[in-house]
Amino acid sequence: MSLKLRRLDTHASDFKVALRALLAFQADEDEAIERAVADILADVKHRGDAAVLDYTKRFDRLEAAHLSALEIDATQLEHFLLGLEPKPRAALEAAARRIRAYHEKQKIESGSHSWQYVEADGTVLGQQVLPLERVGIYVPGGKAAYPSSVLMNALAAQVAGVREIMMVVPTPDGVQNPLVMAAAHLSGVSRIWTIGGAQAIAALAYGTETVPAVDKIVGPGNAYVAAAKRRVFGTVGIDMIAGPSEILILCDGTTDPNWVALDLFSQAEHDELAQAILLCPQAEFIEQVAQAMNRLLAGLPRQAVIKQSLEKRGALIKVRDMAEACSLANEIAPEHLEISALEPRRWLPQIRHAGAIFLGPYSSESLGDYCAGPNHVLPTARTARFSSPLGVYDFIKRSSLIEVSEQGAQTLGRIAAELAEGEGLQAHAQSARGRIR
Amino acid sequence: MSLKLRRLDTHASDFKVALRALLAFQADEDEAIERAVADILADVKHRGDAAVLDYTKRFDRLEAAHLSALEIDATQLEHFLLGLEPKPRAALEAAARRIRAYHEKQKIESGSHSWQYVEADGTVLGQQVLPLERVGIYVPGGKAAYPSSVLMNALAAQVAGVREIMMVVPTPDGVQNPLVMAAAHLSGVSRIWTIGGAQAIAALAYGTETVPAVDKIVGPGNAYVAAAKRRVFGTVGIDMIAGPSEILILCDGTTDPNWVALDLFSQAEHDELAQAILLCPQAEFIEQVAQAMNRLLAGLPRQAVIKQSLEKRGALIKVRDMAEACSLANEIAPEHLEISALEPRRWLPQIRHAGAIFLGPYSSESLGDYCAGPNHVLPTARTARFSSPLGVYDFIKRSSLIEVSEQGAQTLGRIAAELAEGEGLQAHAQSARGRIR
């Protein structure tokens, strides 16, 4: 099987057009899915447990007399961990430790503490910062059941201080994934129900007799889950709706071409819509990477997916120099950016938009996906221009604190009244003036 | 005109039902608006400036040969400020100073700095924090033209470090609001176009020949603007779509009843859907507040709006004690919460959900609306359970930094490969193992 790889060159007159076509991705809204999801949400909102049980029976072929029978309790969870082979167990525990450590650091650095200050006249201003109370984590079942996603989502919430972490995970035909359950145990998940789809999102958002309503829902899912999350947004908070995964590798030609090839593959193997792009100033090196890709592809079980993803959405792009590569990277604003170069820190100040930045030849995206520590839930589809990796900051919320002293009210009252009158809001003005002696 | 005020008592057996009915608010999605907005967005996306000019002519009766003719330049802006009367000018400047000072403090406390740490094996992890590059601020025209909103939105962005702040404000029939323009000048707005509605949101989100595309759009607007923002979300970031404004006053009966009455009014005068609620353990005090309201209403120019808002959505609620009031406050999770009590700090630890908390009798909401310093853009409709006041943190974004050392890759590679194999992702595993010596 040989790869038909797209080659582009920034010198080409049609490069901008070709790049735009390459990056274009329109998530099509499916009317049938939208309607089905709207119906499921309304049904669960009204019938609660009974509706969730009906859909679980229909979609997952899983029957229960009561929703509580689909809950996995804490001791069962621990057994999943204890039942693992030593190697996967050690790896899962090591990953959990590292992810927790990174997020602990992030909690301190990102300002998750309350603060206040006193002004000369005694007025106190500040912000009270609290963790969210109850969070729901959606974990996909079936083929895309990733224990690493459980760790990333739940640990960020747990480190932020969220007390109640509720997880839902569909188990079609009742098949449970021990690694997923063990990961839930390691990351402090409070309760788990083996339910999924729009019905699980509805249960978390509205609450049922058995499932308590949460304040925010995070985690990836299929088109139904994404549509459901979008619809319950406002009733609860949600994380970003993720698009297809992306990697952009900036290479100065000094990295082992096999490594670069495998890093592109490790993105492409996610799914046919994933995007893997290489930017490099050296035509020769690009050729070596292409050869490595053709050589290495055969050994991979997911080669069909990789081939389709690379041929449909991948590209090897020859750039003028690394500076141009950085500028293109900002245009692309990729989810994952590898700066695979001798002096990666030289280029870092030129990078403005990327979900995660991997520096140097040893920092493969795969390490970040599992265990480096930073979160692998990252902004896709150019949203790195305005959004951030999932983090402890997504599980806290702030209230402003305003304690005006009697003296402060004299000054502030005059300012506020003047501005309120300018806006035609007389009750505001009188309320402010009322406090003036 | 006498007010028919809703009285509730937490002792009543039907209180929970009555409370739920009181708080219920369903923003109805208007199909006609949705369709109109979808058409306008698509049209501006394809025809750019020409489409914006057409809609501006149609909706605002404002004609121009080119969109650049609808831009107000920096020197014009300054003239608006210089042209103000001394009192409103001083008030506007004082408010801007205080809002800026608070947000400067917030910038430091909320962790808007980049950080990294080095592990024992030389691996470096961290986050790069940068301000958004270009932000669009929507400012409503006509009756709801609030200079204070310009200050709140633009100053938060400016303090965060956003270089390009683009403002759009419709000016029906070409009538410009000098206070709005002066506020824009004071808060570092870079460029202003006198356009509005869905067409302005489209111009900011997609860019046109004249208006550069932004990364995020913030600011309030009518139903068309809200629908447009919801639709461009993903292409750009947006702030929360605000529901009707709310105040909840917890009073222990020690505050001047006139002050409480005026604070309730100052919420109710915003619009007919605004919600103003008082919780108090003393029946007598509630009576005094009701009397004050009836007495004070007559003097207010917006009395019709106040009456409608209070009768439709307001309530005076007798509670058992202040502790019960706090617990109800958490259920209501109001946008504005006043703790109007002798010892407001005594109750603060019991408050978990509120957009802004005003402590003590001198802290009227009106002071916070204009000039105390904290942002007046706050979470409504119970979203304070999971979201925060607008702040500098809404105008920054983070990229994870991962720089794995050669030694680090030996340990991390083994963990990642083990987990990747567990997830059936062999390219990930090989990419990780490839770095192991």
Side-chain angles (χ1 to χ4, degrees), chain B residues 169-181:
Chain B
V169 54
T171 53
D173 301 307
V175 180
Q176 298 174 352
N177 181 326
L179 277 165
V180 163
M181 299 300 173

Side-chain angles (χ1 to χ4, degrees), chain A residues 37-317:
Chain A
V37 165
D39 289 346
I40 295 172
L41 293 181
D43 195 16
V44 173
K45 194 172 185 175
H46 289 113
R47 292 200 301 130
D49 282 355
V52 176
L53 286 170
D54 284 354
Y55 292 114
T56 304
K57 182 177 166 188
R58 194 194 316 171
F59 298 132
D60 296 337
R61 298 161 303 282
L62 185 61
E63 235 172 306
H66 194 275
L67 195 46
S68 58
L70 298 182
E71 182 171 356
I72 298 181
D73 73 29
T75 51
Q76 276 178 281
L77 263 196
E78 195 179 358
H79 283 300
F80 279 109
L81 182 70
L82 299 173
L84 293 182
E85 293 294 317
K87 276 176 77 176
R89 179 176 168 178
L92 205 59
E93 287 176 332
R97 245 191 330 270
R98 292 188 57 86
I99 296 164
R100 188 187 301 277
Y102 177 85
H103 287 80
E104 294 280 6
K105 208 71 149 180
Q106 184 181 66
K107 187 180 183 182
I108 296 166
E109 299 287 352
S110 312
S112 307
H113 56 275
S114 300
W115 53 274
Q116 57 178 45
Y117 61 97
V118 187
E119 300 193 307
D121 62 20
T123 294
V124 183
L125 301 173
Q127 265 189 329
Q128 172 168 294
V129 184
L130 289 173
L132 304 194
E133 290 198 345
R134 195 186 286 143
V135 162
I137 295 185
Y138 190 92
V139 178
K143 9 170 221 174
Y146 294 151
S148 56
S149 286
V150 177
L151 296 182
M152 294 290 178
N153 281 284
L155 284 169
Q158 204 208 15
V159 171
V162 177
R163 294 264 178 82
E164 294 186 72
I165 303 175
M166 309 289 170
M167 181 171 131
V168 291
V169 54
T171 55
D173 301 307
V175 180
Q176 298 174 352
N177 181 326
L179 279 164
V180 163
M181 299 300 174
H185 176 69
L186 279 175
S187 43
V189 170
S190 322
R191 302 178 71 179
I192 300 186
W193 288 271
T194 56
I195 57 176
Q199 59 274 20
I201 298 295
L204 291 172
Y206 308 130
T208 69
E209 302 89 318
T210 305
V211 181
V214 303
D215 298 312
K216 186 167 189 167
I217 301 175
V218 299
N222 63 18
Y224 290 83
V225 172
K229 279 169 68 181
R230 224 180 270 117
R231 279 175 180 269
V232 298
F233 176 55
T235 301
V236 295
I238 61 166
D239 56 352
M240 270 287 202
I241 307 284
S245 195
E246 313 146 357
I247 193 171
L248 180 71
I249 303 181
L250 269 53
C251 186
D252 63 0
T254 62
T255 307
D256 183 335
N258 291 305
W259 294 6
V260 174
L262 284 168
D263 290 3
L264 293 167
F265 283 173
S266 71
Q267 194 57 47
E269 79 173 333
H270 274 298
D271 70 272
E272 296 80 359
L273 291 171
Q275 184 156 61
I277 299 176
L278 169 67
L279 303 183
C280 175
Q282 296 178 24
E284 218 176 310
F285 182 80
I286 292 178
E287 219 31 68
Q288 291 168 11
V289 171
Q291 283 167 18
M293 290 169 93
N294 271 305
R295 198 172 54 243
L296 292 165
L297 183 66
L300 290 167
R302 295 177 66 83
Q303 56 185 279
V305 176
I306 294 174
K307 184 173 157 68
Q308 228 189 312
S309 151
L310 287 172
E311 295 187 346
K312 262 214 300 223
R313 303 206 66 220
L316 308 177
I317 303 179

Side-chain angles (χ1 to χ4, degrees), chain A residues 246-247 263 267 336 338 358 363-369, chain B residues 428:
Chain A
E246 313 146 357
I247 193 171
D263 290 3
Q267 194 57 47
H336 304 95
E338 284 187 13
F358 295 78
S363 307
S364 72
E365 189 210 304
S366 57
L367 303 183
D369 284 346
Chain B
H428 282 72

Side-chain angles (χ1 to χ4, degrees), chain A residues 316-339:
Chain A
L316 308 177
I317 303 179
K318 159 99 175 54
V319 293
R320 201 166 49 231
D321 49 30
M322 284 294 279
E324 188 184 50
C326 291
S327 136
L328 275 176
N330 290 325
E331 251 176 78
I332 295 170
E335 182 189 15
H336 304 95
L337 175 72
E338 284 187 13
I339 308 182

